[in-house]
Every structure is written in structure tokens, then in C-alpha cells.
């Protein structure tokens, strides 16, 4: 199989996973986020109910402890496009996958040019 065919096959598999992910992923917070909210009392450690008010207080406490106020608006908050439900999530992940692929290909071309290792 040619290298180009392998790359195309890899992109197709990545996009298939991207489109399927929102429909098969858990709606519960991930492990790190769940542990954070559990430690700060915003949810039970083994539960899935999140107290949004307590979560906001926990986040303010962390900002107070660390002094880190850096933040920026995400292009796709919560990996979704507002107003498009699950299809918006699939589209956001597919766009991200294509962007990462484009960045990887661009970096590969720049770094593999003759004289780039010097």
C-alpha cells in the first residue's frame, strides 16, 4: 500500500471516530474534572450529579489559591457548535481533526525540506 493511501485511510478512520464520538461518549465529567469537583464538594466522588453553583465556587477558589486568572474563549466550548446538538459536536470534532491533520502535514513539509536540519 502506498504511503499516500495509508494517510488517506488514517484520515478517514480519524473522521469516522470524530463523527461517532459524540454519540458514544459518556456525558459524565471526565476523570480529572470529576475528581476536581469531588474534592471541592461540587459532586459526589462516585456520583454523576453536579451542583453547578458549587462548581462555580470551586473554580473561584482555585483561582484564589493559584492566582491564575488566564483564560480565553474557546472556539468550540464543550467540543460543540451552539444550536446544533450532537451534530454540532460531531462537526466541531471533525473540524478539529482536519485542522490538526493540516498542521501536521504543514509541519512535516516544512521540517522535511532540504536544509531544514541544519
Amino acid at each position: 500500500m502506498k504511503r499516500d493511501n495509508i494517510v488517506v485511510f488514517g484520515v478517514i478512520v480519524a473522521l469516522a471516530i470524530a463523527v461517532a464520538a459524540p454519540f458514544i461518549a459518556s456525558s459524565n465529567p471526565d476523570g480529572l474534572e470529576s475528581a476536581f469537583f469531588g474534592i471541592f464538594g461540587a459532586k459526589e466522588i462516585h456520583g454523576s450529579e453536579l451542583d453547578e453553583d458549587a462548581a462555580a465556587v470551586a473554580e473561584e477558589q482555585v483561582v484564589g489559591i493559584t492566582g491564575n486568572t488566564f483564560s480565553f474563549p474557546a472556539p468550540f466550548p464543550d467540543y460543540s457548535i451552539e444550536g446544533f446538538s450532537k451534530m454540532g459536536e460531531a462537526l466541531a470534532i471533525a473540524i478539529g481533526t482536519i485542522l490538526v491533520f493540516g498542521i501536521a502535514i504543514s509541519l512535516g513539509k516544512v521540517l522535511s525540506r532540504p536544509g531544514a536540519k541544519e
Side-chain angles (χ1 to χ4, degrees), residues 3 8 14 17 19-20 24 26 28 34 54 64 71 75 91 97 106 114:
R3 186 178 68 184
V8 169
I17 292 170
V19 170
I24 58 176
S26 171
N28 293 332
S34 179
S71 69
L91 185 60
T97 301
S106 299

Side-chain angles (χ1 to χ4, degrees), residues 2-51:
K2 288 182 166 182
R3 186 178 68 184
D4 290 346
N5 291 342
I6 293 171
V7 171
V8 169
F9 179 73
V11 170
I12 290 170
V13 169
L15 288 174
I17 292 170
V19 170
F23 300 100
I24 58 176
S26 171
S27 61
N28 293 332
D30 65 28
L32 183 60
E33 189 176 24
S34 179
F36 168 78
F37 288 128
I39 290 169
F40 282 90
K43 69 178 272 308
E44 297 286 328
I45 289 290
H46 297 290
S48 60
E49 297 283 328
L50 178 66
D51 180 344

Side-chain angles (χ1 to χ4, degrees), residues 23-94:
F23 300 100
I24 58 176
S26 171
S27 61
N28 293 332
D30 65 28
L32 183 60
E33 189 176 24
S34 179
F36 168 78
F37 288 128
I39 290 169
F40 282 90
K43 69 178 272 308
E44 297 286 328
I45 289 290
H46 297 290
S48 60
E49 297 283 328
L50 178 66
D51 180 344
E52 296 288 340
D53 294 333
V57 170
E59 291 172 351
E60 288 176 13
Q61 285 178 328
V62 169
V63 169
I65 292 169
T66 64
N68 183 3
T69 58
F70 176 76
S71 69
F72 59 91
F76 299 120
D78 291 328
Y79 310 104
S80 67
I81 297 174
E82 191 172 330
F84 288 95
S85 188
K86 290 288 184 190
M87 289 309 296
E89 293 176 17
L91 185 60
I93 296 171

